[in-house]
Amino acid sequence: MEVRWTIFLIILGSALVTFIPRVLPIAILSRVELPEWAMRWLSYVPIAVMAALVGQELLMPNGKLEPLQKNLELIAALPAFIIAIVTRSLLGTVIVGIISLMVLRFVF
């Protein structure tokens, strides 16, 4: 089997480029005591990222703004959101969301 050095160097460079931004902050921040306000601020980052991902998918399915009548994902998210608030169960929320979307796709 022949190894092409250009491909090997591209793979190695890609691995290095993705490895450094993930490991470097962990290595630096594990040795530094962050102030309490910074820790509070960082605790909201996962929630903000998840809201941005879910919000974009719900409001703009297929990359374009759809009217409410055609946006079944947004309609199916409403019962899932209610279940999430009432039960605080991730499994229940996912199951209700999937079943809601299945029913809506079957009906419409």
Side-chain angles (χ1 to χ4, degrees):
M1 183 168 135
E2 180 184 346
V3 175
R4 293 188 182 169
W5 287 104
T6 55
I7 301 295
F8 179 72
L9 290 175
I10 289 172
I11 293 172
L12 194 61
S14 298
L16 190 65
V17 165
T18 57
F19 180 75
I20 288 175
R22 294 170 193 225
V23 172
L24 195 59
I26 292 173
I28 292 172
L29 292 176
S30 67
R31 297 179 183 166
V32 175
E33 181 83 23
L34 291 176
E36 198 269 325
W37 63 267
M39 292 301 291
R40 246 190 356 255
W41 181 80
L42 286 173
S43 72
Y44 293 108
V45 170
I47 297 167
V49 169
M50 188 59 134
L53 293 172
V54 171
Q56 179 181 3
E57 189 60 33
L58 288 179
L59 298 175
M60 296 182 64
N62 303 322
K64 55 188 172 193
L65 198 59
E66 296 280 340
L68 185 60
Q69 298 86 353
K70 293 183 180 180
N71 195 346
L72 298 179
E73 289 84 2
L74 184 60
I75 298 169
L78 295 175
F81 184 69
I82 292 169
I83 292 297
I85 290 174
V86 171
T87 65
R88 301 228 182 245
S89 167
L90 179 62
L91 181 61
T93 303
V94 170
I95 289 172
V96 168
I98 290 171
I99 291 173
S100 299
L101 190 58
M102 284 173 44
V103 168
L104 285 170
R105 285 187 178 170
F106 181 74
V107 171
F108 297 106

